[in-house]
Amino acid sequence: MNDKEHRNLERAGKADTDRILTIPNVLSFFRLALIPVIIVLYAKNEVWWAFGMLVLSGVTDVVDGWVARTYHMVSNFGKAIDPVADKLTQIAVLLCLMPMKCWWVVGILVLKEVSIGIMTLLTLHHTGMVYGAGWYGKLCTAVIYLSMFVLMLWRTAPDWFLYADAALCACLILLAFVKYAIRYGGILREARADGARKQA
């Protein structure tokens, strides 16, 4: 590969990271649009329809990541909007499914997402990059989705199951929070150190 081809490849790669209207991003917007649909269907006791929409939301989450990686449609906007769609879906559906005595799980999830969102914005400001999810975040998301599937279909779940499920979700949420805090803290320290070296 000559220098010209290398420069063209770099420009194409940078263009990809700046794109907004891509198939994965459209799927993320679709998941956002499904949130009120799921809530309304569940409120009307159309449980199976609500469950189907939730499964569709989960499937599109998997598909958009696969499409982005396979067809080189990974973008900074996609890295930002994908977790937003996931977390808003989780928060909205858990608010519908969790009884009052277990809503503290949703509170922990909200606090974690707000904190990580702030760290993500700080990292974007200092590095110009949006970093993808770690394995701990993906594990947390998978378990929460599984919990939502079970609770939506098992509406008469006993208290012991609700408390056990809430405790498991809370532990994974806290694990993800700690791991992301360490990760972004390290990135921010390195970025500030680089900035200080450049100014010296």
Side-chain angles (χ1 to χ4, degrees):
M1 180 183 296
N2 58 40
D3 290 342
K4 182 178 180 181
E5 290 174 337
H6 185 69
R7 287 193 298 270
N8 289 338
L9 185 61
E10 285 184 342
R11 282 196 293 268
K14 187 177 186 305
D16 284 343
T17 64
D18 294 336
R19 292 174 63 190
I20 293 178
L21 193 59
T22 63
I23 293 174
N25 293 346
V26 169
L27 290 174
S28 293
F29 286 123
F30 178 67
R31 291 208 308 282
L32 287 170
L34 281 178
I35 294 173
V37 176
I38 295 170
I39 294 172
V40 169
L41 288 172
Y42 188 79
K44 290 184 176 182
N45 209 31
E46 298 285 351
V47 178
W48 282 105
W49 278 107
F51 178 77
M53 294 298 102
L54 183 58
V55 170
L56 178 60
S57 177
V59 169
T60 59
D61 185 22
V62 174
V63 170
D64 76 13
W66 178 81
V67 170
R69 291 186 299 271
T70 304
Y71 296 99
H72 308 291
M73 294 183 182
V74 176
S75 65
N76 284 333
F77 181 80
K79 291 178 183 178
I81 193 65
D82 179 70
V84 168
D86 288 341
K87 302 314 173 186
L88 287 180
T89 299
Q90 293 169 23
I91 291 168
V93 175
L94 284 177
L95 282 173
C96 292
L97 298 176
M98 284 288 184
M100 183 67 70
K101 53 196 169 188
C102 293
W103 278 13
W104 50 271
V105 178
V106 182
I108 293 174
L109 180 60
V110 171
L111 288 174
K112 175 249 185 184
E113 293 308 325
V114 170
S115 301
I116 298 304
I118 292 172
M119 284 188 275
T120 300
L121 290 175
L122 287 173
T123 303
L124 177 62
H125 174 72
H126 285 283
T127 68
M129 293 289 295
V130 177
Y131 292 83
W135 65 265
Y136 32 86
K138 293 177 181 178
L139 175 62
C140 182
T141 297
V143 171
I144 290 176
Y145 265 100
L146 180 61
S147 297
M148 292 190 297
F149 292 152
V150 173
L151 292 176
M152 186 169 286
L153 296 181
W154 193 12
R155 303 183 74 181
T156 58
D159 286 348
W160 67 264
F161 179 83
L162 292 172
Y163 284 123
D165 183 62
L168 175 61
C169 290
C171 288
L172 290 174
I173 292 168
L174 291 173
L175 170 66
F177 171 74
V178 171
K179 294 287 285 184
Y180 277 124
I182 294 172
R183 177 190 188 187
Y184 284 120
I187 293 171
L188 288 171
R189 283 194 299 271
E190 186 176 341
R192 286 171 183 150
D194 288 342
R197 283 194 294 268
K198 290 177 181 177
Q199 292 176 355

